[in-house]
Amino acid sequence: MNSFVKAAGVGVISLGLWSSAALAQDSWWKTAAQPYQGVTIRGISESTPASKYVEQVLGPKFTEETGIKVEFEATSWDQMYDKAIKDMEANTGIYDFVYIEQDIVYTYLARNFLVDITKSLVDNAKIASPDFKPENFTTFLNYFKDPKSGDVMGVPMEAFIKPYLYRKDLFDDPAIQKAYKDATGADLKPATTHEEYTQIAKFFTEYGADKELWGTTVQASSSHPAAFYEFFESIAPTFGVYNWGIDGTTFAATEANGGQMNSAAAKKALNYWVGLLKYAPPESTSSTWDEVAGTFAAGRAAQGLVYGENAAWIATDASKSTVVGKVGVALPPVEAGVLEAAEAGKGYIGYYDGGAFGIPHSSKNKDASLLFLQYIGQASVQTDWALAGSRIVMNSTYDDPKIVEQDKKVNGYYTLMRDDGKLFAGAPPYPFHSQVLQVVAPFIYKAIVGEIKPDEALDQAATAAEAELVKLGYRK
């Protein structure tokens, strides 16, 4: 992969940014942590901007205030899951806290991997921080509650939507606007429909033929689950296909049995998405979420769906982005009726992503880890963390003056997430998430590389998904 699409990390962040409110609480933390002096807790997470902040700022500050050392491994998405799951399955206790992405939490709960945080703090009130208040979190916390007891099983550390980013400098350029009007008969503005999006992508690909500029990003790695996720969690919902096209009651996937995975709407969605590849940079068929962010930051695409965790650095960090001050933010384009359905609470238009830290039952240092999870769950540490990682997990963070100021620089991304976040949704609550992913993704890969047509890919994917659900005992 060329250097311009390398995944962007977060540089070393000055501890001087640390909130004085957090420092004021050090006496409580020191007292509570007294029995655990010299203990080392180990955690693992995907290497994201929010995780880098934990590694570089929150972990060291926690150690400074408590004497508990934090060893934090920020690695690739693949390695994170492989290592964490193997550790929990074998009960080896290598990791004391693990990253739980929103879409995998139901599998972890079904397999009883996680410590009940609510119960643990009741049972050991001496380490229950007065500054850890679950009610301070946004409703994103609900994804990490036990559906039976309502107890908290993970402390949110990042949450963000996947918006439509576009090059504001290009869209607002009078000469380009005229060229677009002459070529299409339409005004150049962020797309609200898939037809408009495709037309814009085609125009900018032709316009940028001699400028290393293409019309759109596409998260279409032909060998990585990122492609599955972009299609089923970001593209399909904009066509009115929800929950991967699987019926949540009968667990049917095929249209013949009442599912939607190979419905006409789903096939239209996959044809649209695969069709965008002709207007996307050549790295798109090997792009995960990291490479998509890198592509947009390098100025190689006029528009794209980009995970919000990258929005702030793309729009503000000139050391990593060539499009600082040039980024617009909007809702994804949708089919007729989809936005209205989402506004009525009967659907959604894209993915609300994020994750939490949880404590495995296999952890050898549960109490020390409980202290750390409460530490990162204080309102006082949220603002600078949000500035570094475009993530917000508490409602109060939106009103912080620093966030209000940065919101202007990111063209209203935080306002969009606060006001329209309700139109997005996390992954469906499927304990069989991983198993269905494994059997369906290969057909998406084949459609990407042209081995089979999109319609055929979804017919085969739906059949395979249903067979797997029968095998797992969900579908009779």
Side-chain angles (χ1 to χ4, degrees):
M1 186 64 60
N2 292 335
S3 60
F4 52 74
V5 293
K6 279 174 31 181
V10 174
V12 176
I13 305 162
S14 169
L15 296 183
L17 292 174
W18 191 254
S19 162
S20 58
L23 290 174
Q25 301 299 320
D26 63 354
S27 59
W28 184 92
W29 293 104
K30 285 181 179 178
T31 301
Q34 199 62 43
Y36 316 107
Q37 293 299 298
V39 167
T40 297
I41 59 174
R42 296 174 177 84
I44 187 168
S45 181
E46 182 183 4
S47 184
T48 65
S51 289
K52 285 290 187 182
Y53 190 84
V54 174
E55 179 183 35
Q56 296 170 1
V57 178
L58 294 177
K61 287 305 301 179
F62 178 74
T63 298
E64 179 184 323
E65 295 182 38
T66 66
I68 299 170
K69 185 177 180 181
V70 180
E71 290 186 358
F72 190 69
E73 183 179 349
T75 186
S76 69
W77 180 87
D78 316 65
Q79 283 293 305
M80 172 192 70
Y81 277 126
D82 184 61
K83 291 182 176 183
I85 291 173
K86 284 180 178 176
D87 179 44
M88 292 186 289
E89 286 177 336
N91 202 36
T92 44
I94 296 171
Y95 299 110
D96 297 300
F97 63 96
V98 298
Y99 180 81
I100 317 163
E101 193 161 8
Q102 181 278 321
D103 52 12
I104 202 71
V105 64
Y106 309 105
T107 299
Y108 283 14
L109 291 175
R111 299 189 67 181
N112 196 33
F113 279 160
L114 303 174
V115 166
D116 185 324
I117 292 171
T118 299
K119 183 177 184 301
S120 296
L121 294 177
V122 169
D123 291 345
N124 190 354
K126 289 182 180 180
I127 60 169
S129 169
D131 293 319
F132 177 68
K133 300 175 182 179
E135 63 269 23
N136 286 347
F137 288 89
T138 67
T139 55
F140 190 68
L141 175 68
N142 294 337
Y143 285 114
F144 303 97
K145 290 182 177 180
D146 185 304
K148 296 178 182 177
S149 67
D151 286 359
V152 174
M153 308 298 285
V155 176
M157 53 80 68
E158 62 180 359
F160 46 86
I161 57 174
K162 190 175 181 183
Y164 169 18
L165 299 191
Y166 64 95
R167 286 282 301 280
K168 202 170 186 303
D169 58 319
L170 300 178
F171 277 63
D172 291 348
D173 186 300
I176 295 176
Q177 290 175 338
K178 182 180 185 305
Y180 185 80
K181 182 82 168 182
D182 291 344
T184 68
D187 293 326
L188 179 58
K189 58 183 177 58
T192 58
T193 69
H194 297 111
E195 291 76 17
E196 289 174 352
Y197 191 93
T198 302
Q199 184 169 269
I200 293 169
K202 180 176 183 294
F203 169 81
F204 275 111
T205 300
E206 294 170 350
Y207 168 82
D210 60 348
K211 302 177 180 64
E212 290 290 298
L213 175 69
W214 283 263
T216 182
T217 63
V218 184
Q219 185 180 295
S221 171
S222 58
S223 60
H224 191 283
F228 170 96
Y229 289 126
E230 168 133 308
F231 175 67
F232 281 107
E233 296 181 345
S234 297
I235 301 298
T238 66
F239 285 81
V241 178
Y242 311 120
N243 301 324
W244 302 359
I246 298 174
D247 186 285
T249 302
T250 66
F251 302 107
T254 63
E255 187 175 35
N257 290 325
Q260 281 196 311
M261 189 178 287
N262 66 334
S263 64
K267 289 176 177 177
K268 184 177 181 182
L270 188 57
N271 276 281
Y272 159 78
W273 184 61
V274 170
L276 289 176
L277 286 170
K278 68 173 76 72
Y279 308 124
E283 65 267 15
S284 297
T285 53
S286 53
S287 287
T288 71
W289 34 77
D290 288 331
E291 287 77 27
V292 162
T295 289
F296 197 90
R300 290 171 60 80
Q303 57 183 354
L305 300 184
V306 181
Y307 282 93
E309 64 182 337
N310 298 304
W313 71 260
I314 290 175
T316 64
D317 190 345
S319 71
K320 297 194 289 288
S321 173
T322 66
V323 295
V324 169
K326 303 174 182 178
V327 181
V329 184
L331 296 176
V334 295
E335 289 292 285
V338 170
L339 181 60
E340 292 76 12
E343 290 172 335
K346 297 179 180 178
Y348 53 96
I349 64 170
Y351 189 41
Y352 207 126
D353 194 12
F357 286 142
I359 302 171
H361 277 296
S362 53
S363 167
K364 297 174 182 176
N365 299 291
K366 294 182 179 66
D367 287 352
S369 299
L370 279 166
L371 283 171
F372 181 63
L373 265 59
Q374 292 177 90
Y375 188 85
I376 67 163
Q378 301 175 90
S380 56
V381 310
Q382 300 301 318
T383 298
D384 290 336
W385 199 0
L387 293 174
S390 314
R391 37 70 70 209
I392 288 184
V393 298
M394 291 188 180
N395 290 311
S396 60
T397 309
Y398 286 112
D399 297 322
D400 188 282
K402 290 182 180 179
I403 298 300
V404 172
E405 184 60 31
Q406 191 185 60
D407 194 41
K408 299 173 185 176
K409 299 176 182 178
V410 295
N411 199 240
Y413 166 72
Y414 294 111
T415 298
L416 184 77
M417 184 161 70
R418 181 193 63 201
D419 295 348
D420 293 320
K422 61 183 178 293
L423 303 176
F424 296 74
Y430 294 154
F432 48 77
H433 178 111
S434 297
Q435 294 94 325
V436 170
L437 164 65
Q438 293 300 319
V439 299
V440 169
F443 299 105
I444 304 301
Y445 304 154
K446 290 179 180 180
I448 289 169
V449 299
E451 186 176 329
I452 56 178
K453 298 293 186 183
D455 288 11
E456 184 183 356
L458 287 180
D459 284 337
Q460 294 182 23
T463 299
E466 265 188 16
E468 184 67 16
L469 290 168
V470 169
K471 176 183 171 184
L472 294 172
Y474 289 95
R475 179 169 172 77
K476 305 303 181 185

